[in-house]
Each structure stands twice: as C-alpha cells, then as structure tokens.
Amino acid sequence: MLSTKLQTVLAVAEYKNFTRAAEELNMTQPAVSHHIKQLEQEVDAPLFVRNKAGLKLTPQGEIVVNYARRMKALHERMFAELQNAERHLSLLRIGITHTSESNLTAAALARYSNQKGKLKIILFTDTINNLYDMLENYELDLAIVDGAYGDPRFSSMLLDTDYLTCVMSVDNPLARKGAVTLAELRRQKMILRTPASATRTLFESALESNGESIQSFDVTLEVDNIATIKDLIRKDLGVSILPRSACLDELRKGKIAALPVENLSMVRETRIVYNKDFTHTDMLNEIIKTYGSTVMN
C-alpha cells in the first residue's frame, strides 16, 4: 500500500493547499504538515515553496511526486492483475493520440473487446508526450501513436503504415484531379493541425525537403481537433493535410475527397508502444489482426 506520506504529498501537489489536501485525506492540517515535513527530512530537500497561486513544487518535489505517482499506479495495477487472475477478467488501459481517435483505431479496439468477451478497455486521449509519460509511470498499459518513433524506454509493434493526403470538399474543383500540385495548394485556403502535432510536423518536413516553407501557403486556421477540420472541409471552407486513415469513413461515404500531393513523400507509421516488461504480446498481435480486418471492412 502507498505510504501515508506519499499519499499526502500527492494530495498537496494536486490541491496546492494543505487545508484542501487535509479535507481530501480526512486528516487535520497539522497532520498533513507533519507528513510533508517528515518526507522533506527523509529526502533532505524542500518539496514545496509558496507563491501567489499557493504551493508550488520544488525541483526535488517534482521528482518525489513523479515517483509517488508511478508507485501508486504500480500498486493499483498489481491489485487489478490479481483480481483479473482470480476472476479470469482482463483490463487494458490504452492511450491514443487525437489522430488515432479520429480513425478506425477506437472501432478496432471496441471490436477486439467484444471478441474477447470479458475484456475491458479504458481509452485515454492525449498528446504523444503525455501518453509516453503515462506509459512510463504505468498509468497506461499501451499507447497507440503515430509519426516518428524512436524512444528507447519502450518497445513497439507496427500497427499500420499510413500517409498524409490533401483533403478537400467534393465540391472543390481540385477533387476531380488525380493529384494536387504544390502550386495549386498555395492557392487554397488551408485548415491545418496545430504546429505541435505529428501531422503538421511531417507536412512541414516534407515541404522543407522540397525547398518549400509553410510560410508560402495560406494557412487561415489551425485546429487540434481532426473531426472539426473534416467538418469544415465538408462545408468547403478550406483544404487540409490529414492522415488518410483518419478520413476513411468519410471517403467511403463520398463526403470528402483526398488526393496525394505531387513530389511530397508523407508516409508515416502507427505503432503500439508498451513498456519492456509488458508480457502479453500475444494480445498485441490479436489487436493488430482485428485492426487490419476493421480497416478492410
């Protein structure tokens, strides 16, 4: 069980206030202060400093809290696996990126859960960096991420190979062409993912490899939500650069059009990433197989 001192430091870090932490833990405020003081003596460093917003973690406090979160997650995971073994149940906590949320990944995971009967899957959606942090802290069992991958902390399996396309309304004159040139793309109003996204990074890298710059294009709107971008495209309010896998449903229904961009290589991988001590690799192969059949249907 997580020690009282570590539970206390997590509560104080969350609420940034001794009184609120005491209420959450059903303790007195002096007891909370005592536990924090004991922990500070153990690590020989201050854990919190005060500012206008309340309590703020020191650099040493950040380290303690990160490890306390990891220990809490491991403790919860241990009991979940013990319960699963006893009841013959399984639980998977899977993190996906916003791009994966918009493609067939979630549908494939739902199908896999149904096929396995008593398997429960909990999905979390976040940025790649946050998913990696959650994975390292054992708050996730798996993360499904797209774009460049090379993190030595984890292992991975290839889920899919995808590529970026120029996506537009079926009413856009370009939709009748076989491909879009960069010159034609410059004349379009563009609705793109935010600069921090893997999709945007790959697009800009492809441009730079061809001696082009994103500054030469008319980017009128930046949106982090792919579903919103596709809705704006259907209304013919601009074109975008999106993963083809994120548009499969709309393409099959004829709601939007997607064309390659001439001279731009924008291939990317989608991978299942997991901690090196994850032992259920047979489950990963089953998920990959289910994903493949979902994409084909």
Side-chain angles (χ1 to χ4, degrees):
M1 183 175 179
L2 196 67
S3 72
T4 303
K5 286 178 287 190
L6 292 180
Q7 291 182 52
T8 303
V9 76
L10 287 177
V12 175
E14 179 178 358
Y15 294 107
K16 299 180 175 59
N17 182 284
F18 280 2
T19 301
R20 290 194 62 193
E23 292 172 353
E24 175 67 21
L25 296 169
N26 197 25
M27 293 181 182
T28 64
Q29 184 174 331
V32 169
S33 300
H34 177 67
H35 288 312
I36 296 300
K37 186 175 181 180
Q38 280 188 320
L39 196 53
E40 288 178 329
Q41 290 173 345
E42 287 182 22
V43 301
D44 193 26
L47 302 181
F48 296 94
V49 293
R50 290 191 178 275
N51 60 17
K52 294 180 181 179
L55 294 172
K56 178 184 177 182
L57 285 167
T58 63
Q60 297 92 333
E62 292 278 1
I63 294 172
V64 171
V65 166
N66 284 339
Y67 275 93
R69 286 173 178 158
R70 189 178 303 177
M71 292 166 67
K72 180 181 178 183
L74 280 170
H75 178 263
E76 292 173 351
R77 180 178 178 181
M78 178 185 70
F79 277 96
E81 291 198 10
L82 286 171
Q83 187 180 59
N84 288 345
E86 181 180 345
R87 299 183 183 180
H88 304 290
L89 299 175
S90 294
L91 171 67
L92 272 181
R93 297 161 299 178
I94 303 178
I96 60 177
T97 60
H98 297 289
T99 300
S100 297
E101 187 181 34
S102 297
N103 62 25
L104 296 176
T105 301
L109 292 173
R111 287 184 62 183
Y112 179 67
S113 178
N114 291 339
Q115 292 168 4
K116 297 298 287 185
K118 292 185 177 181
L119 173 65
K120 179 180 179 180
I121 295 178
I122 302 176
L123 284 183
F124 301 84
T125 304
D126 214 322
T127 64
I128 289 178
N129 288 336
N130 287 343
L131 292 181
Y132 282 168
D133 289 341
M134 294 172 70
L135 195 60
E136 186 177 30
N137 290 333
Y138 289 90
E139 296 171 276
L140 294 177
D141 298 301
L142 309 171
I144 298 179
V145 302
D146 42 64
Y149 171 78
D151 197 311
R153 293 174 294 174
F154 312 115
S155 298
S156 73
M157 284 190 180
L158 179 66
L159 179 65
D160 194 12
T161 300
D162 196 8
Y163 56 94
L164 304 187
T165 61
C166 180
V167 184
M168 65 204 68
S169 163
V170 292
D171 296 323
N172 189 310
L174 290 178
R176 295 188 288 273
K177 297 175 63 68
V180 178
T181 66
L182 287 173
E184 290 168 332
L185 199 56
R186 287 193 200 92
R187 295 193 289 270
Q188 298 291 314
K189 302 290 185 183
M190 298 195 70
I191 304 169
L192 296 182
R193 296 285 306 281
T194 53
S197 70
T199 300
R200 177 71 173 267
T201 299
L202 179 56
F203 176 49
E204 292 193 12
S205 296
L207 288 176
E208 290 171 5
S209 68
N210 277 269
E212 301 279 351
S213 168
I214 191 67
Q215 306 303 324
S216 303
F217 296 83
D218 189 8
V219 181
T220 59
L221 189 63
E222 294 178 343
V223 184
D224 195 38
N225 186 287
I226 291 182
T228 300
I229 293 177
K230 290 189 291 188
D231 185 54
L232 295 171
I233 289 170
R234 284 195 297 268
K235 295 174 181 176
D236 203 17
L237 295 174
V239 305
S240 189
I241 301 294
L242 293 176
R244 192 175 187 279
S245 64
C247 307
L248 286 178
D249 187 55
E250 290 83 1
L251 290 171
R252 289 169 179 168
K253 295 176 181 177
K255 293 182 177 180
I256 58 177
L259 301 175
V261 182
E262 287 186 1
N263 300 320
L264 286 192
S265 176
M266 298 186 287
V267 178
R268 67 193 211 157
E269 296 179 342
T270 300
R271 288 188 166 270
I272 303 176
V273 183
Y274 52 95
N275 280 302
K276 295 181 183 296
D277 58 358
F278 183 81
T279 58
H280 305 288
T281 52
D282 56 329
M283 189 173 284
L284 303 185
N285 288 316
E286 292 172 353
I287 290 174
I288 292 169
K289 184 177 179 180
T290 304
Y291 176 86
S293 63
T294 302
V295 171
M296 294 299 294
N297 290 340

